[in-house]
Amino acid sequence: MIRDEPLVLGIETSCDETGVGIVRGHTLLADAIASSVDQHARFGGVVPEVASRAHLEAMGPTIDRALADAGVKFTDVDAFAVTAGPGLPGALMVGVAAAKAYALSLGKPLYGVNHLAAHVCVDQLEHGPLPKPCVALLVSGGHSSILLVPDVAGEVHSLGSTVDDAAGEAFDKVARVLDLGFPGGPIIDRMAREGDPAAIAFPRGKYKDGTYDFSFSGLKTAVARWVEAKERAGEPVPVSDVAASFQEAVVDVLTQKALKVCKDNDVHDLLIGGGVAANSRLRTLAAERCEAAGVRLRVPRPKLCTDNGAMVAALGSELVASGRAPSDLQLPADSSLPIETITL
Ligand code: KG4
Ligand code: ZN
């Protein structure tokens, strides 16, 4: 196998997106996605059993689409990579089982990788090699962490994370309170553009000063109480102002904490990834605050921020390039895989 330009196929099934990505080295060739999000909408959140079944149905067609988009054959693939965790156990198992079958039948190496490290690594496809070290703020529906990343293929440390709701989960829950639909992040982002972020002083959810952790459950409850009080008083709820004020509270805390980690560790590169990184206000505020702090900011384009197979292929490619050993074919799906474990 050519170590610096391997053709890697990555499979992602940790939540509700069946993603198959194909890369050659740092070049993205295909990023096929099938999402079951519509099937979860009426429940207001992802239903694990529904997601697992949808992965099973979408796997074959999504693989075929990725190969066609990349213009390559299955037999051209040098290595497979798959999200081994963290994520929903049943959903992960579908991807891991499929990847094992493909790798075994084609006699190619398989890398079981960490979903969070993959969210970081994907930026290499867009902005080139990651600075070593960098700080990564990962914010999505399932996870919210601040990571110190000396080497995305070998060494990642968690310095802070949410102590309760993930950032995206808070967006989704607040959207439910406001009757806006699911997933809530994109809708709140849109509504907030018409609202005043200073209209309501929601709590900042800093958790404890002096730590890099944060908390969103108090903020979510504060929004619910505020809306209930308005409704009880028979007054109209200013939905855009609530959305803008809530969003401001979330992005204020996230950017503050992430930049504090950069400063305390003398790191000058910040990467933001995960579904919430698609948030327009987070992108703007992070850019302003990074500029003021002399920190370079990297944010992948929105399609690479939400869950996808390209990120898994990107990390697989990095592992091949750095000469790491592939996984054993007995590799498990580990729903609570710690971030320090980059490959299983
Ligand atoms: O990374 P992702 O696709 O899946 C998980 O691993 O969770 O992230 C999905 C989350 C959802 O909670 C969704 O509401 C949120 O990302 N999200 C956003 C935006 N787009 C997606 N949150 C805020 N603003 C957005 N524009
Ligand atoms: Zn994710």
Side-chain angles (χ1 to χ4, degrees):
M1 191 192 335
I2 316 160
R3 226 173 90 172
D4 33 323
E5 289 289 298
L7 186 72
V8 180
L9 185 148
I11 297 176
E12 154 63 34
T13 62
S14 68
C15 191
D16 58 341
E17 260 96 31
T18 313
V20 179
I22 300 178
V23 304
R24 188 181 294 283
H26 287 169
T27 308
L28 178 61
L29 302 182
D31 184 14
I33 301 255
S35 176
S36 61
V37 69
D38 293 345
Q39 297 179 50
H40 307 289
R42 69 191 170 101
F43 302 105
V46 175
V47 183
E49 282 306 314
V50 173
S52 307
R53 174 156 295 272
H55 286 310
L56 212 48
E57 286 165 0
M59 182 60 65
T62 312
I63 291 265
D64 291 344
R65 194 146 50 83
L67 290 168
D69 290 351
V72 300
K73 296 193 295 294
F74 234 150
T75 46
D76 297 332
V77 173
D78 292 313
F80 290 87
V82 63
T83 300
L88 302 170
L92 287 169
M93 257 182 257
V94 177
V96 169
K100 283 181 184 176
Y102 294 132
L104 184 68
S105 60
L106 291 162
K108 295 294 164 68
L110 170 63
Y111 292 81
V113 306
N114 189 302
H115 180 83
L116 303 188
H119 266 304
V120 177
C121 197
V122 73
D123 191 56
Q124 300 204 132
L125 301 177
E126 191 172 349
H127 298 120
L130 282 172
K132 294 182 180 184
C134 65
V135 166
L137 169 66
L138 285 191
V139 273
S140 79
H143 33 80
S144 296
S145 314
I146 305 177
L147 311 174
L148 179 63
V149 186
D151 170 13
V152 71
E155 190 186 354
V156 177
H157 305 283
S158 174
L159 296 191
S161 65
T162 178
V163 295
D164 39 57
D165 293 348
E169 201 180 345
F171 273 93
D172 295 337
K173 287 178 175 169
V174 164
R176 204 179 322 162
V177 166
L178 296 173
D179 267 333
L180 294 176
F182 174 83
I187 312 170
I188 291 194
D189 193 347
R190 242 183 352 261
M191 300 287 308
R193 280 176 214 156
E194 335 261 275
D196 174 6
I200 309 152
F202 286 130
R204 261 23 188 178
K206 276 192 191 153
Y207 190 53
K208 273 192 222 141
D209 277 331
T211 78
Y212 303 121
D213 292 332
F214 34 87
S215 155
F216 293 121
S217 99
L219 168 61
K220 171 197 70 189
T221 308
V223 174
R225 295 274 171 281
W226 196 91
V227 170
E228 273 163 32
K230 276 276 169 204
E231 284 168 347
R232 252 199 322 274
E235 292 170 24
V237 176
V239 175
S240 303
D241 284 348
V242 175
S245 302
F246 157 76
Q247 176 175 274
E248 198 64 20
V250 174
V251 304
D252 181 23
V253 170
L254 291 175
T255 49
Q256 257 186 53
K257 293 261 174 176
L259 279 166
K260 180 91 169 69
V261 169
C262 290
K263 183 163 179 254
D264 293 352
N265 291 278
D266 199 23
V267 172
H268 301 279
D269 292 275
L270 172 66
L271 176 133
I272 307 184
V276 181
N279 184 268
S280 59
R281 180 61 186 145
L282 175 59
R283 294 169 92 100
T284 307
L285 187 63
E288 280 169 23
R289 288 186 171 171
C290 282
E291 161 110 57
V295 168
R296 287 175 292 265
L297 176 65
R298 296 166 67 121
V299 195
R301 59 180 176 268
K303 191 170 181 236
L304 294 180
C305 285
T306 48
D307 288 351
N308 62 81
M311 66 192 216
V312 180
L315 181 53
S317 168
E318 192 65 24
L319 290 163
V320 173
S322 59
R324 316 264 159 182
S327 305
D328 190 292
L329 277 184
Q330 305 291 329
L331 97 123
D334 182 346
S335 62
S336 50
L337 187 66
I339 178 59
E340 285 76 16
T341 309
I342 296 161
T343 178
L344 267 182

